[in-house]
Every structure is written in structure tokens, then in C-alpha cells.
Amino acid sequence: YDTGNIMKMDRVLKHDLPVSDFYYDKEGTILASIDQSDSIYVWDLETGEKLLQVLPSLDENGYVENVIAAIPFEDRLIVVEDNSIRCISHSGKELWKKIPEGELSLSECQYNFEDEILICQSGDLVCIHDIRTGDVLHRIPNRLEHSFSMEIEYSEKDKKCAISHNIIKDTASEGYVTVYDLQKRQQKDYVTQADYIQEVVFAPDGDIVVASSDSTEVLSGQDVCKGVLQKLNSSTGAEEWRANYEYLYFGAEAASLQLKSRSYRDALNKMNPEIIMSIDNGVYSYDAITGEELCRLHTGTGIRSLAVAKDDYFGYISDAAGTLHIINTTNGTNYSGAAIETGKDISQLEI
């Protein structure tokens, strides 16, 4: 779709099965998509031409390897799977293959085109790879064991990586965020207010914003749950602001909580640093400096995905009914007249 204050269908890329994920290259001209069979497609977005299709790979026992990410990089494709990292040319030739370090299979990864790095996490190790060669640049012990629901975020500005951990200790659980400073080779653990971390993101100023809830409420599927949004200093862990929120439990209708960070310049030449959160059927916007809630809006059903423009106040959401909405995250306007009824289950949006 073309974006702005009006969305218009640009082209359709046909797949054999429903699409579960997609990634695009630095220029936004090449797209790699993954379908539900773990087949990977590489597309030229300018022409709609399919450049490459990679069939699912099998492990030593004959089971399909789970594709964690498929990242277009220049004239090649970086494929991160459960037990390997591979580089494949657009002609289909495998250029290199690396076996991940650590005791467990890969669980999460993040990447950055400007710094040309790939960050991969296994159960006991975080490795920073050169995205061109697959070589390991840094090895960081993942000290927090027995954790689950881990998310990775990277700050290109400050060369820091943040990983969330939900730690099970006997019958209790604790929420931590570990911040790795790649320049100083240091790591620090910060405890969050609630014990179940739902999402973490770097704010425009380089500090981290964490959304967390009480694990007993989340895991039991209560009708109404409470959460807390915290901004923590990424160097010290000191809390800079806190915002409480409540949300309805929409079950399978809504995706998990999503956080976005941006800072845009308005018509008066003022910078507007924002944290935008979507959960259940609501979108909430906060001033990233003060934590003040700027606006909120709700849809009629659960929100599946959220994307925000980087250089203006537009946001885009898809709901469980298959509707694409254009929203204004500064004043809470939902441009309902420009909404598109797709009739599809849209699980991901990116700009």
C-alpha cells in the first residue's frame, strides 16, 4: 500500500500459503517473506518479481527448521533458523553457513543495516555477528537463566542492546531487562515494576521503555488486566517516569502488546518524541520525555499490528476484522473514512 493520509493498494505478492512474517532491505526495495511452511520468498518491490524461493530446510532428524528471520542484505539473503545462520545469494547458492554457539537453539534475533550486525540469542549466550560474513564479533554471557518471552532491541545511536527476560524462580517470577553496552563491553540488569515483561523499546534519547504486567493476570486470561509503562535510564536503571494502564483481555483477537518509538518534527519545527503502545483494542501515545499521555483511541475489536511513520504523526493499525486504519497519534484521530476493509487476517505491518 502507498501510505500517507490515504492508503492505496499498490501491488499484491502472491504466496502459496498464508504469510507469517516478512523483512525488507535497507533501501526498502527488496522484501523477504516467510510462509507457514517456513518457505522463504524474495521479492523486488519495484516490479513485483519473485527473485528467489527457498524451500524449508530439515534438521538431522528430518524435521523442518523453524525460520526465525529472513533478512535481505544487498544481493543476498541472511536466513536465521533454529540451529543455523545461512547466507544465500539471489541465485540460490549458499555462500556460508554458521552453527550458533550456546547450549540451546536460537530463540530471537535483531539486526542493524548501518552497523552491519546480526544479534542472536540462545539460551546461555548472546552473539553479535558480522552480517556480511557471519563471523562472531562479540560474545556476551546470558547470565539470566530459565527465562522465557525474550525480546531484543538495538540502539544504533548508542550501540546498546536491550533484552527482556521473564525469569522463573521456583513458584515466583521476575522481570528483568539486560542492557549490553557494545562499546564498553558491559552489561547491567534492571528489575521492572511488574514481573511479566511484554515489550521493550529504546526511546529517542537512548533510554529504554518497558511495558510489564502481573504474570498471574496475563497468564490466567482475566477480563481486565493492569500494566505499567516505565522509562529507565539505560546506563543506571533509574526510573525516569511511570505510566499505569488497564486493558481488556481480547484473547486470540488481539496480538501481544507492541511498543514503537519515534521523534518527528511538526509544522512549527518542534520535535515530538513519542512512545506509542498498542494493546487489546487500544492505541496509547505518550510524551517520551515526561511520560504524559498525549492521546488514546480504540477500535471495535482487537488490534493485530501497529506501524508508525518516522517523519510525521501518522500511525497504521490492523484489527481482527481485517480493517486497516490510519490514525493520528498526537490527537487520537482515527481517519475512519480512509480505512480499508481487506477481509484478511493481517498479522504484521511495516513501513
Side-chain angles (χ1 to χ4, degrees):
Y1 293 87
D2 294 325
T3 59
N5 60 349
I6 295 177
M7 283 186 290
K8 183 177 66 174
M9 175 95 59
D10 188 53
R11 61 174 50 89
V12 176
L13 306 176
K14 296 284 188 180
H15 293 71
D16 297 330
L17 292 172
V19 177
S20 57
D21 210 348
F22 62 83
Y23 300 82
Y24 49 85
D25 70 345
K26 180 180 178 180
E27 288 75 26
T29 58
I30 303 295
L31 180 82
S33 53
I34 307 166
D35 73 13
Q36 291 184 351
S37 74
D38 283 310
S39 292
I40 304 169
Y41 305 73
V42 180
W43 308 89
D44 184 323
L45 288 180
E46 298 297 322
T47 64
E49 177 189 1
K50 183 166 67 175
L51 303 176
L52 174 68
Q53 182 171 351
V54 180
L55 296 177
S57 59
L58 304 179
D59 64 17
E60 58 185 13
N61 297 314
Y63 295 106
V64 173
E65 289 267 19
N66 176 52
V67 178
I68 297 170
I71 306 158
F73 180 68
E74 297 179 350
D75 60 349
R76 65 203 79 169
L77 178 70
I78 309 299
V79 180
V80 182
E81 297 169 318
D82 277 337
N83 298 293
S84 68
I85 304 170
R86 298 187 291 151
C87 180
I88 303 172
S89 71
H90 285 180
S91 66
K93 180 181 178 181
E94 184 174 279
L95 303 178
W96 52 257
K97 181 177 181 178
K98 304 291 183 178
I99 304 301
E101 301 181 27
E103 293 184 358
L104 301 178
S105 61
L106 292 171
S107 59
E108 188 74 27
C109 76
Q110 185 60 269
Y111 59 94
N112 183 268
F113 289 125
E114 293 297 331
D115 293 338
E116 296 189 354
I117 59 171
L118 177 69
I119 306 171
C120 294
Q121 177 184 235
S122 59
D124 62 348
L125 200 63
V126 176
C127 288
I128 316 297
H129 297 261
D130 184 316
I131 202 169
R132 289 185 178 275
T133 65
D135 294 337
V136 177
L137 304 174
H138 306 291
R139 294 174 178 86
I140 307 169
N142 191 1
R143 298 175 303 179
L144 300 174
E145 300 172 348
H146 310 296
S147 61
F148 65 97
S149 187
M150 296 171 286
E151 300 288 337
I152 300 178
E153 285 294 318
Y154 179 70
S155 170
E156 179 185 317
K157 171 187 172 185
D158 296 312
K159 314 305 180 192
K160 290 181 179 181
C161 173
I163 299 183
S164 65
H165 306 265
N166 294 314
I167 312 301
I168 301 174
K169 292 185 176 180
D170 298 324
T171 58
S173 63
E174 294 179 323
Y176 287 81
V177 175
T178 301
V179 177
Y180 302 95
D181 188 318
L182 301 185
Q183 298 180 105
K184 297 180 179 179
R185 305 291 184 91
Q186 296 176 346
Q187 63 188 93
K188 296 182 180 180
D189 304 326
Y190 305 135
V191 181
T192 55
Q193 177 65 26
D195 67 353
Y196 185 89
I197 298 178
Q198 296 170 289
E199 186 67 280
V200 59
V201 70
F202 279 96
D205 62 4
D207 290 328
I208 56 174
V209 177
V210 186
S212 59
S213 293
D214 183 277
S215 61
T216 56
E217 292 185 359
V218 174
L219 300 178
S220 64
Q222 291 185 192
D223 290 338
V224 180
C225 300
K226 296 180 180 179
V228 58
L229 201 62
Q230 294 173 276
K231 185 181 182 187
L232 305 177
N233 185 293
S234 63
S235 298
T236 66
E239 183 179 88
E240 298 184 358
W241 54 256
R242 179 188 303 184
N244 297 311
Y245 58 90
E246 288 189 356
Y247 59 97
L248 300 175
Y249 181 76
F250 269 67
E253 281 192 357
S256 57
L257 183 147
Q258 298 171 76
L259 282 181
K260 305 292 182 181
S261 169
R262 71 169 171 198
S263 183
Y264 70 91
R265 192 179 301 276
D266 63 21
L268 300 177
N269 207 34
K270 176 188 173 184
M271 294 303 297
N272 294 267
E274 290 183 342
I275 300 295
I276 300 105
M277 176 179 72
S278 72
I279 190 168
D280 63 68
N281 70 334
V283 177
Y284 306 79
S285 177
Y286 300 88
D287 185 305
I289 303 299
T290 66
E292 175 190 359
E293 183 178 314
L294 302 175
C295 70
R296 64 173 67 185
L297 61 91
H298 291 85
T299 60
T301 185
I303 294 173
R304 300 304 303 274
S305 190
L306 165 71
V308 297
K310 290 295 184 183
D311 54 0
D312 58 41
Y313 50 75
F314 288 121
Y316 305 87
I317 56 177
S318 64
D319 64 23
T323 303
L324 284 173
H325 302 264
I326 306 175
I327 60 175
N328 182 323
T329 62
T330 300
N331 60 25
T333 300
N334 186 343
Y335 301 99
S336 56
I340 298 176
E341 305 290 343
T342 68
K344 304 288 186 180
D345 181 7
I346 301 174
S347 59
Q348 183 177 348
L349 294 176
E350 294 286 348
I351 295 178

